[in-house]
Structure formats: structure tokens, C-alpha cells
Amino acid sequence: LALYFPENENFGIWQYISHIFVHGSPMHLLFNMYGLWAFGTPLEQIWGRNKFIFYYFSAGLGAGIIYTLVNYYQFNSVFEQLANIGISDDDIQRLLNTGSYNSQILQHISESKLTDFYTTYHTPAVGASGAVYGVLVAFGMAFPNSKLALIFLPFPIAAKYFIPIIILGDLFFGVTSYSVGNIAHFAHIGGALIGFIIAWYWKKNQFNRWN
């Protein structure tokens, strides 16, 4: 049910939806479901059940697709580097299958890139975080001045400031090596982006549950 890299033999197209329902730990599930309840409830009241469900799964689907596209770009970049230095397709596949390689490769490609190459191929994505980020964005657009009291901040902060900050944080951690833990930052960004596009379109066209 987890979302695998498309080149991996475990990949299935249904995983773009099914990965939303599985989580890495009870705490992961708890945080996501709390976010869905806290920020999704007022949106569901505005839009109605069916449109909210459409929005939620659209954001989750978009998160999975954008996460895959970013991974493809990074994966293919290393694949082309390996091919350009004369590594055969069979040897590249052996590297992906076993994680072992000729140390001379390190003269051309850093060890961290090879590790990311191997990890991207094997590590699946799980969780509803991308869909919840879409819900967060829509909440911020609908209730920009709502104050959010968070454990790690000593004072409440308006949604219109807090939500862009955490998205920029994901962007920063996604493009640098400072990320802590196994977090799919570009899935978060993907869910936020697709969520913004849908919510912006609905708001522009005065969408509500009575339309």
C-alpha cells in the first residue's frame, strides 16, 4: 500500500491513493488525523462532505505525483552520471539491488548521491501528510486571521503567517541536506501546491456547498 518509486518492482499505480491510509508509526497517524480533524472540520462545514472528500484526496494524489516527479529528477540525474562514466545498465541495476559498487565510482560521484540514489529506489512513502498540508493551506485561505497556539511557540500566530512558514521550511529542508528524519518534504509541498490551486479556483468562483 505504500508508494514506491515507479522503477521499483513493488510499485503499483493504486499506491498514489493507498499510501494516504498507511503510516509509519502510531504517532505519525495521530498527528495527521489531529490535523485533519482540527483544520478539516471547518472546511467540511463550508464546502460540504463530498467536495471536502474530493479536495482531500486530490491534495493527497497531487502530493504523491509531485513527490514522484522530484524523485525521478534526482534519480535520473545520478543514473545519467553513472551512464556517462561508462557504468552499464546491468551494473547500475546491481547497485540498486545490492547497494554495492566499485569504489572507483566515488571519483566521479559522491557517496551521498549514491546513497540517495539507492534510498530513492527502495524507500516507499507513507502517510496522509501531503493531503493534510492541502487542508492546512485551504484553512489558511479561508480563515487567515485564526490564531494557532502551538506547543513549540510561546505565543499564538495567525494562520496566514504560520502556514507559509512551515511550507517554506519544507522547501528549505527538501533542497538542502539539513533534513532531520525520514520526511517526504516534497510530498508536503506537493499537497500544499495542489490544495492551493483547487482552493484558489473555488474561492475565485465563489464556490460553496450550495453550488
Side-chain angles (χ1 to χ4, degrees), residues 1-3 17-25 28-29 32 125-128:
L1 298 179
L3 176 59
I17 293 296
S18 64
H19 82 280
I20 299 172
F21 294 94
V22 290
H23 289 75
S25 68
H28 186 201
L29 175 63
N32 278 341
V126 297

Side-chain angles (χ1 to χ4, degrees), residues 127-178:
S129 300
V132 172
Y133 263 67
V135 171
L136 270 174
V137 167
F139 178 88
M141 294 173 68
F143 308 99
N145 296 313
S146 295
K147 295 295 193 298
L148 306 179
L150 304 163
I151 295 174
F152 53 85
L153 286 177
F155 52 85
I157 181 171
K160 63 183 177 183
Y161 301 125
F162 170 72
I163 294 171
I165 287 172
I166 63 171
I167 294 172
L168 287 173
D170 269 299
L171 181 61
F172 171 78
F173 289 122
V175 300
T176 67
S177 58
Y178 294 103

Side-chain angles (χ1 to χ4, degrees), residues 45-110:
Q45 291 172 348
I46 294 172
W47 293 338
R49 180 189 62 189
N50 293 339
K51 296 303 181 181
F52 178 78
I53 291 174
F54 170 82
Y55 177 88
Y56 177 75
F57 283 107
S58 295
L61 177 62
I65 291 173
I66 291 176
Y67 173 75
T68 297
L69 291 175
V70 171
N71 279 346
Y72 245 118
Y73 172 79
Q74 296 173 339
F75 181 90
N76 286 340
S77 175
V78 177
F79 190 99
E80 289 177 3
Q81 286 183 271
L82 290 169
N84 289 339
I85 62 175
I87 308 300
S88 69
D89 288 353
D90 288 342
D91 286 337
I92 294 175
Q93 190 60 51
R94 190 174 299 111
L95 185 160
L96 290 171
N97 290 339
T98 66
S100 61
Y101 52 85
N102 189 321
S103 60
Q104 292 182 348
I105 293 177
L106 298 178
Q107 297 176 11
H108 306 276
I109 303 174
S110 68

Side-chain angles (χ1 to χ4, degrees), residues 163-209:
I163 294 171
I165 287 172
I166 63 171
I167 294 172
L168 287 173
D170 269 299
L171 181 61
F172 171 78
F173 289 122
V175 300
T176 67
S177 58
Y178 294 103
S179 181
V180 290
N182 188 20
I183 300 173
H185 294 290
F186 282 104
H188 295 174
I189 294 169
L193 176 61
I194 299 303
F196 171 79
I197 292 172
I198 297 173
W200 174 82
Y201 176 81
W202 285 353
K203 186 175 182 179
K204 181 181 178 183
N205 289 276
Q206 296 297 306
F207 179 89
N208 58 56
R209 67 184 301 167

